[in-house]
């Protein structure tokens, strides 16, 4: 069976960050769902904070240095994408949007995407549907119906606080796994061996390490 590759893009600015923590939770849930479907998979993580200077320079010069080119290749050649951004001023972060801006406008066409966002207050939850989802729809990607927003209170200590977020994560992960399973593997998206353009960010074990708030 051909291995499916899921790119995980996280735009947290601090280290560690709740943005990365949410990305970890989403990736683990998708991994569990794909395991249940018997689908071989690999997760590649792109931490945008590691590429912030290169992204800015690319916007100015049109040139992507090797590390950023590797990150771009990881995203555009993936079978599916998990994209998580902090919410600033009621919308996605500038770093997140700048990375999207350096991608070819057609590169994500038809790619299933699980959208995630986090902020300090639930008042920003609508940003998923009025800012982030339209961005990926414009790119002709295929966002799954359920987006996952996490406010500070969702990381509360009680089971009652954590349950709604956990339910949303499982529902969104199931939708992405089903979207991956309903499609064939992405063939011919990149002429190079995927092992040659693994993004910075560590192994899958590092991905599931549960890094916390920033």
């Amino acid at each position: 069976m051909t291995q499916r590759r899921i790119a995980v893009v996280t735009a947290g600015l601090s280290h560690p960050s709740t943005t990365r923590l949410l990305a970890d939770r989403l990736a683990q849930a998708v991994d569990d769902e794909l395991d249940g479907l018997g689908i071989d998979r690999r997760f590649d993580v792109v931490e945008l904070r590691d590429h912030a200077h290169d992204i800015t320079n690319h916007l100015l010069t049109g040139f992507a240095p090797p590390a950023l080119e590797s990150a771009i290749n990881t995203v555009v050649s993936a079978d599916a994408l998990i994209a998580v951004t902090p919410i600033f001023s009621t919308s996605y972060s500038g770093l997140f949007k700048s990375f999207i801006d350096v991608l070819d406008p057609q590169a994500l066409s038809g790619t299933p995407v699980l959208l995630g966002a986090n902020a300090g207050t639930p008042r920003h939850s609508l940003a998923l549907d009025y800012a982030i989802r339209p961005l990926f729809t414009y790119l002709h990607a295929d966002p799954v119906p359920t987006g996952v927003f996490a406010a500070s209170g969702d990381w509360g200590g009680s089971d009652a606080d954590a349950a709604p977020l956990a339910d949303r994560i499982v529902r969104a992960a199931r939708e992405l796994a089903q979207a991956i399973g309903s499609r064939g593997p992405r063939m011919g998206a990149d002429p190079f061996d995927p092992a040659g353009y693994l993004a910075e960010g560590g192994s899958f074990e590092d991905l599931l390490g549960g890094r916390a708030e920033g």
Side-chain angles (χ1 to χ4, degrees), residues 78-83 105-115 132-147 172 175-183 186:
D79 294 289
L81 175 64
I82 298 171
Q106 303 301 318
L108 297 180
S109 182
T111 301
V113 184
L114 194 169
L115 303 175
I132 305 172
R133 187 176 298 277
L135 173 63
F136 283 90
T137 300
Y138 173 78
L139 296 171
H140 304 290
D142 188 15
V144 299
T146 301
E175 291 169 357
L176 186 67
Q178 290 171 348
I180 294 170
S182 68
R183 293 164 165 81
R186 192 164 186 169

Side-chain angles (χ1 to χ4, degrees), residues 8-82:
V8 183
V9 174
T10 171
L13 298 181
S14 56
H15 179 71
S17 71
T18 49
T19 305
R20 177 60 187 263
L21 178 60
L22 179 58
D24 290 347
R25 291 278 301 276
L26 292 170
Q28 178 64 77
V30 172
D31 186 54
D32 291 343
E33 294 291 334
L34 291 174
D35 188 56
L37 294 175
I39 295 175
D40 187 24
R41 65 275 178 201
R42 188 184 82 205
F43 291 76
D44 297 323
V45 187
V46 177
E47 284 268 17
L48 295 186
R49 68 185 300 275
D50 296 337
H51 304 284
H53 294 292
D54 287 343
I55 291 170
T56 300
N57 289 335
H58 187 10
L59 289 171
L60 296 173
T61 67
F63 173 75
L68 178 58
E69 184 177 12
S70 173
I72 291 171
N73 285 338
T74 294
V75 171
V76 302
S77 64
D79 294 289
L81 175 64
I82 298 171

